[in-house]
């Protein structure tokens, strides 16, 4: 098992789903993990409890990444609780929720990602890694059309990825590597649920086209693996179903 003892990590959007799974894996490997949530403290505290009961280290921090103070709160928590910040997993995303404004997808999926990266990398030492989580539907949106209900989110996530990639040379100069993990639609996620509600049958159709859709646990393991994978900075790891998009 990979040893992340004495390392501090932030996993954004980690009170449930993929982020929670990644956090549990990193904690099992020895990292102290900041569990980030926007509103649901009990859910985040449950993840912390599961990690600590298994002998790991974790702390829950409520922070809205679209606010000026959100990213700094997570960085401060990592340093104060674990002594360093060595891993940043940019997992938080959204845009299909209602009542958060027409520009919410872009504010969260692009602007907040950049703000989180900038806040974190001010404190990260050489040898640290940043992992950005995206979808094939977003990564390939300029080449392959996606479902109408998901297109605004896909375009905002692609904008976020491109904005983050502009920092790669500066990160490389600091000795910090940047990796992207792109996956197909994931079974059981809130995005898949909302999308299937907006376009009934969408997930079943995607499952048929890809042959298989990864579960939250399976995809979370792939994301966690890229925290320590021996890949070059700027690498994109494709997880499941990418053949349809790479044609």
């Amino acid at each position: 098992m990979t040893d992340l003892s004495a390392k501090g990590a932030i996993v954004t959007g980690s009170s449930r789903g993929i982020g929670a799974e990644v956090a549990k894996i990193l904690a099992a490997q020895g990292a102290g993990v900041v569990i980030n949530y926007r509103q649901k403290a009990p859910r985040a505290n449950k993840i912390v409890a599961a990690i600590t009961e298994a002998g790991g280290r974790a702390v829950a921090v409520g922070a809205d990444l679209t606010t000026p103070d959100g990213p700094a709160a997570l960085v401060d928590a990592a340093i104060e609780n674990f002594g360093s910040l060595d891993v940043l997993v940019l997992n938080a995303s959204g845009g299909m929720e209602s009542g958060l404004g027409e520009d919410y997808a872009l504010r969260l999926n692009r602007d907040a990602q950049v703000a989180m990266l900038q806040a974190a990398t001010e404190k990260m030492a050489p040898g640290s890694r940043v992992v950005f989580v995206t979808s094939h539907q977003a990564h390939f949106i300029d080449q392959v059309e996606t479902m109408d209900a998901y297109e605004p989110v896909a375009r905002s996530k692609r904008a976020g990825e491109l904005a983050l990639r502009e920092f790669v040379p500066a990160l490389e100069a600091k000795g910090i590597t940047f990796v992207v993990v792109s996956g197909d639609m994931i079974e059981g996620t809130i995005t898949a649920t909302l999308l299937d509600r907006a376009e009934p049958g969408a997930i079943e159709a995607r499952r048929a086209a890809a042959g298989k859709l990864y579960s939250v646990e399976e995809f979370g393991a792939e994301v966690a693996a890229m925290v320590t994978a021996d890949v070059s900075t700027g690498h994109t790891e494709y997880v499941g179903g990418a053949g349809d998009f790479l044609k």
Side-chain angles (χ1 to χ4, degrees), residues 18 37 59-60 62 74 83 100 107 125 128-129 132 210:
I18 295 163
Y37 67 95
V59 61
L74 300 185
L100 293 173
R107 287 191 292 117
S128 298
R129 173 159 291 180
F132 175 67

Side-chain angles (χ1 to χ4, degrees), residues 58-119:
V59 61
V61 178
D64 183 343
L65 302 185
T66 65
T67 65
D69 298 332
L74 300 185
V75 174
D76 290 345
I79 302 298
E80 291 170 6
N81 288 277
F82 310 122
S84 66
L85 176 55
D86 310 276
V87 175
L88 172 62
V89 180
L90 293 167
N91 168 75
S93 66
M96 295 187 70
E97 305 89 341
S98 59
L100 293 173
E102 292 184 3
D103 65 340
Y104 180 69
L106 203 57
R107 287 191 292 117
L108 176 60
N109 297 332
R110 183 193 65 188
D111 301 344
Q113 307 300 318
V114 169
M116 188 69 245
L117 179 79
Q118 291 176 310

